[in-house]
Amino acid sequence: MAQKDGAWLDAWLDAEPHNCDAATLRASLMVHRAWEIRGSAFAHEVPYEDMKRFRAMLPAAIEEARKAALLDPANPGPWVVMITAARGARYGHSQFKPLWKELVARAPHHYAGHGQALQYWCAKWFGSNRRMMRFARQTVRKAPAGSPLAGIYLHALSELADRSTAAALPVTPMTRSLLKRTAASFDRVAPDDERLPVLRHLLAHFMLQSMMYAPALEQFREIGPWCGAEPWRKAGNPVMAFEAARGRAVRLSRSRPAPAAQGYGMAR
């Protein structure tokens, strides 16, 4: 809502100029608006003027986030904003690492913060496949009970798959072990956690790619008929892609299929 009409945020800041949450939201909106100007295209495809505006806006957003951090030193929110803006602002490793240290000192298991850090460490920004996967593996291992944090590993596998020319990811004992650990972690997450359904779709997909057919089928049973999430959308017809993947899990796991669902939902 604040993205379209910031009057209420301005009113909030006028009424509570020392409110860290309000100041953090202002900084976050500055980052969001900068990314709206840049778009999602590769850097060489972005018009020069748009890229110039994008890069000019991010340092100001980071400065606003730093000011917000002073209002409530224990609040991790401003540091998440800085982590988010860092790659667009072309922060090198020596600039990024102190931001990360400050964030995890306040919120060591912050999901969104880890997601933004994963992007920083991926090959298309300021890392590499090796750095990204190392970060993702460490994240799985430190994920606390009840947190979906292990799902960051699945996003890393998606990033790796998007950049790979191979048809499938390499199947390794480490990958299988981490997928099992991720599944076990998800079993302790609250069923109503809104992040969980999407993560289960990714987990089922990568378990299939790793020839873990019975564990993949268990994920499909947890998902139910909801098929509108990634990675099925990439196939053009998510219903057919989802149904084919689930059928493959049933067939290759040699399990008896569950009763057929009456229909498919596209919202999860």
Side-chain angles (χ1 to χ4, degrees):
M1 181 177 176
Q3 297 167 20
K4 298 178 180 179
D5 181 7
W8 69 269
L9 177 57
D10 292 338
W12 184 11
L13 286 162
D14 287 342
E16 301 180 51
H18 302 297
N19 187 300
C20 179
D21 290 334
T24 299
L25 180 56
R26 176 168 59 186
S28 180
L29 287 176
M30 291 172 70
V31 175
H32 181 84
R33 287 164 181 160
W35 278 99
E36 280 188 330
I37 291 169
R38 185 200 183 281
S40 59
F42 289 107
H44 69 275
E45 298 172 342
V46 179
Y48 172 78
E49 288 300 323
D50 288 348
M51 184 62 81
K52 184 177 179 181
R53 289 176 63 199
F54 168 70
R55 288 177 173 163
M57 292 173 70
L58 289 176
I62 291 173
E63 181 58 28
E64 285 298 316
R66 288 191 183 278
K67 292 177 182 177
L70 297 175
L71 299 175
D72 182 1
N75 193 324
W79 299 98
V80 176
V81 175
M82 287 182 251
I83 291 291
T84 303
R87 65 183 187 275
R90 297 185 288 183
Y91 271 29
H93 297 176
S94 62
Q95 295 170 289
F96 179 83
K97 288 180 179 179
L99 299 181
W100 179 247
K101 184 178 179 181
E102 295 288 351
L103 173 59
V104 296
R106 293 162 174 81
H109 307 123
H110 198 288
Y111 189 90
H114 278 77
Q116 292 299 327
L118 181 78
Q119 283 296 306
Y120 179 88
W121 290 117
C122 75
K124 68 187 178 187
W125 287 103
F126 294 95
S128 63
N129 289 343
R130 181 181 62 82
R131 286 179 180 272
M132 176 185 71
M133 295 310 299
R134 182 175 63 188
F135 176 83
R137 290 191 296 267
Q138 291 171 345
T139 300
V140 174
R141 291 170 181 141
K142 73 179 183 181
S147 167
L149 188 63
I152 295 297
Y153 179 67
L154 304 175
H155 290 300
L157 291 179
S158 295
E159 186 70 38
L160 197 62
D162 288 344
R163 296 185 59 81
S164 174
T165 56
L169 295 173
V171 178
T172 67
M174 179 182 290
T175 299
R176 287 174 167 170
S177 175
L178 287 167
L179 289 173
K180 288 180 182 178
R181 188 164 180 165
T182 298
S185 178
F186 287 175
D187 288 342
R188 300 192 296 272
V189 177
D192 60 351
D193 190 304
E194 62 183 11
R195 296 162 293 191
L196 191 57
V198 171
L199 292 174
R200 286 198 185 278
H201 283 277
L202 290 174
L203 180 56
H205 170 69
F206 288 118
M207 281 181 159
L208 272 181
Q209 288 206 345
S210 298
M211 297 184 286
M212 300 168 65
Y213 304 119
L217 181 57
E218 287 303 311
Q219 295 305 313
F220 280 114
R221 286 172 172 161
E222 291 286 346
I223 291 167
W226 300 101
C227 60
E230 297 294 352
W232 323 118
R233 290 175 183 157
K234 295 179 181 179
N237 187 325
V239 174
M240 290 183 63
F242 176 81
E243 192 172 50
R246 187 173 63 170
R248 183 175 173 225
V250 171
R251 185 175 68 256
L252 295 178
S253 68
R254 300 181 181 180
S255 299
R256 297 182 63 183
Q262 295 300 310
Y264 293 96
M266 301 292 290
R268 296 171 71 187

